[in-house]
Amino acid sequence: MGVTVFPSLVLAPCHWELLNHQMNLTFDIHNYVRGLHDAVLARFKCPVQTVCRAFPSQEAAERFVARLQKADPSVSAHMARFQLPREAVPEMAKWAAFSVVLFQGSHEEVAFEFWEWFGDGISSRHAEFCVSLFSFMNSDSDHSEYQTVGPASHDLSAMTIPEWIAFSTQDKMDIKSRLASSATSADPALKPVGNDDVFLYATGMAAISAIARALARTSEDSGAVVYGWPYSGTPHCVQGCGFKRYTMYGHGSKEDLDTLESLLVSGTRYTVLFCEITSNPLLSTPDLHRIRDLANRFGFVVVCDDTLGTSVNVDILPYVDVIVTSLTKIFSGAGNVMGGSLMTNPNSRRYSSLRALLNKTYEDLYFPLDAKTMAHNSSDFAARVHKCSTTALQIANFLKSHPSVESVNYPTTVATAPLYEQYRRPDGGYGFLLSVVFREPASAVVFYDNLDVWKGPTVGTNLSISIPYSALAHAKEQDWAAAHGVPKHIVRLSVGLEDYGDLAERVGRALQDVEMREKMGQRC
């Protein structure tokens, strides 16, 4: 079985053992993006071994080239910029533009890592739009062979302005307003988050990399801490954003904070600490009270990713300086659009400096059609969070009661459950994500193979979706992940909008298959 796309989700093989043979197919390039790459390669008449990658901005393309050169200083990589002629309508010219990097196919693994870790690639809708206007675009480059004139660029009269461009400002304002009101604290003494405090990005990783790059440049001795076990791409992203020092405390424990405090007391300084509420896939909660105290004493910025906890469930504004969110997940829910956000906390001591820092480098690259889709999908964000959280709690309790299950990771079942309660809103739940560890690794395989839900690496979709987390997210580093408490045979389940009875029946059938396997094993 190959990778399946539904409707734009990249899904994993339904059977665990196939993962060993298809890891290179876990992530793929959307057909519209491939079409744009092919159009560029055809325009430039490139040799067959040439690979093209498109980016929405020249700065992103330059960062990609730097990443390639870091991996291989001898790499040959060339950039070009496509855009409409100067006389084009400004609204069209802004979005009918992109940059490309051309390089040899032997470096594709680095290219995929960059796309996954930093979130800088062009979106499928943006690529489709650029393909539709490609004949009007000219290209410019430091290399003469990549300086071309579009065959239709001399007559722009045939180019029509789509209606959605005019509504993009309102769509983005709707998204910002929804995020700001949701993140505002229940504490009346705290200032509410304003729409201007919200910065939109094409992906969640783009939001994380933006704040990381900005903070890394604030000091010649900048340092970053990743506390807890985050999404697998986050440590790579933070580490690759230019900090002089980087430390990860993967257990996210009290002892880790003790060690960090000792370092700070001894004179070591950090610029920023990144954490998640809750962590992925262990669903633990950071001690934000203590982290806030350390930040106040030693002057570092606290950036917290609330993608899994969600601002509907938890109130973290009193403790953090910046909130980042992957809007691709439950904020959208439909799995047909990507997006990310970064919110500056108006109550933070660093508010003014952080806003100035971000405003200095921020460029709105969130494609209008993506914003339109996101605004539509997120209109019932809060209601979906409540529904999924309620069902996930029931499923977690159901799994926990089964004798074949060693442990269930969910905010109510892990050691940090009391911490989560401190940040949970009065009407908040515990989130849509859980993970399960079986007493026998073979039972985990049977459970995953027979669990009748979609299989894939995303979370927060309206449909339930599962993955053998470490086998996929940490395929090349499973021993390292296991050393930080993420077992090789952990199964992650993102609970969707299905009714509890329906989903419990599916989980129950998979557990029955586990029981049958274990009985057969005992007989042997």
Side-chain angles (χ1 to χ4, degrees), residues 389-444:
S389 296
T390 299
T391 306
L393 175 61
Q394 294 172 299
I395 293 294
N397 290 335
F398 178 33
L399 282 165
K400 186 181 177 183
S401 67
H402 196 276
S404 299
V405 172
E406 179 178 306
S407 61
V408 173
N409 295 303
Y410 193 64
T412 60
T413 65
V414 295
T416 58
L419 285 173
Y420 187 93
E421 291 296 343
Q422 294 180 36
Y423 313 122
R424 186 168 68 89
R425 293 182 184 272
D427 62 343
Y430 298 92
F432 54 88
L433 194 70
L434 59 93
S435 60
V436 57
V437 179
F438 286 83
R439 300 187 189 281
E440 299 180 23
S443 296

Side-chain angles (χ1 to χ4, degrees), residues 189-513:
L190 295 181
K191 299 175 185 176
V193 179
N195 291 357
D196 290 342
D197 296 323
V198 182
F199 297 79
L200 297 180
Y201 294 86
T203 64
M205 294 310 298
I208 293 173
S209 61
I211 186 64
R213 286 195 308 271
L215 290 171
R217 291 193 290 261
T218 59
S219 169
E220 294 183 358
D221 189 35
S222 59
V225 170
V226 171
Y227 176 78
W229 192 261
Y231 166 68
S232 60
T234 299
H236 296 290
C237 172
V238 174
Q239 201 169 7
C241 281
F243 291 100
K244 301 300 185 294
R245 287 173 292 104
Y246 165 82
T247 303
M248 179 173 173
Y249 294 102
H251 293 285
S253 63
K254 175 184 179 298
E255 290 73 21
D256 281 344
L257 283 181
D258 290 342
T259 301
L260 174 60
E261 183 171 10
S262 295
L263 281 174
L264 293 167
V265 169
S266 69
T268 301
R269 290 293 176 265
Y270 288 99
T271 311
V272 58
L273 180 146
F274 291 86
C275 61
E276 292 183 356
I277 184 166
T278 50
S279 67
N280 181 7
L282 299 179
L283 286 303
S284 60
T285 300
D287 187 344
L288 293 176
H289 286 81
R290 188 174 176 191
I291 290 172
R292 180 72 265 160
D293 177 67
L294 291 174
N296 290 344
R297 289 165 57 194
F298 298 102
F300 58 81
V301 173
V302 179
V303 177
C304 188
D305 186 332
D306 73 343
T307 301
L308 301 186
T310 78
S311 55
V312 173
N313 286 329
V314 293
D315 181 359
I316 62 172
L317 204 66
Y319 314 102
V320 305
D321 302 293
V322 174
I323 299 174
V324 291
T325 309
S326 173
L327 306 182
T328 309
K329 309 305 190 296
I330 200 167
F331 187 79
S332 166
N336 63 352
V337 67
M338 300 183 77
S341 67
L342 184 158
M343 282 182 275
T344 51
N345 183 354
N347 303 281
S348 166
R349 299 178 181 181
R350 307 287 291 274
Y351 176 66
S352 296
S353 61
L354 286 170
R355 281 289 302 272
L357 193 64
L358 289 165
N359 283 327
K360 185 177 180 180
T361 58
Y362 180 74
E363 180 183 3
D364 179 13
L365 297 174
Y366 199 31
F367 188 63
L369 271 181
D370 290 325
K372 178 181 177 65
T373 306
M374 184 65 73
H376 174 268
N377 291 353
S378 61
S379 61
D380 60 349
F381 164 55
R384 286 186 288 105
V385 169
H386 286 304
K387 166 70 173 175
C388 294
S389 296
T390 299
T391 306
L393 175 61
Q394 294 172 299
I395 293 294
N397 290 335
F398 178 33
L399 282 165
K400 186 181 177 183
S401 67
H402 196 276
S404 299
V405 172
E406 179 178 306
S407 61
V408 173
N409 295 303
Y410 193 64
T412 60
T413 65
V414 295
T416 58
L419 285 173
Y420 187 93
E421 291 296 343
Q422 294 180 36
Y423 313 122
R424 186 168 68 89
R425 293 182 184 272
D427 62 343
Y430 298 92
F432 54 88
L433 194 70
L434 59 93
S435 60
V436 57
V437 179
F438 286 83
R439 300 187 189 281
E440 299 180 23
S443 296
V445 175
V446 172
F447 178 77
Y448 173 78
D449 288 353
N450 291 280
L451 181 60
D452 184 18
V453 299
W454 290 94
K455 309 294 174 67
T458 192
V459 298
T461 49
N462 295 335
L463 47 87
S464 293
I465 191 165
S466 182
I467 189 178
Y469 185 80
S470 187
L472 197 62
H474 298 290
K476 299 178 181 178
E477 50 192 17
Q478 289 191 65
D479 291 335
W480 173 70
H484 287 84
V486 182
K488 293 182 180 180
H489 284 80
I490 191 170
V491 179
R492 189 183 72 182
L493 174 62
S494 175
V495 173
L497 294 176
E498 300 93 342
D499 289 335
Y500 169 70
D502 175 20
L503 190 56
E505 183 180 354
R506 299 191 220 176
V507 171
R509 289 199 300 267
L511 289 172
Q512 288 175 357
D513 290 322

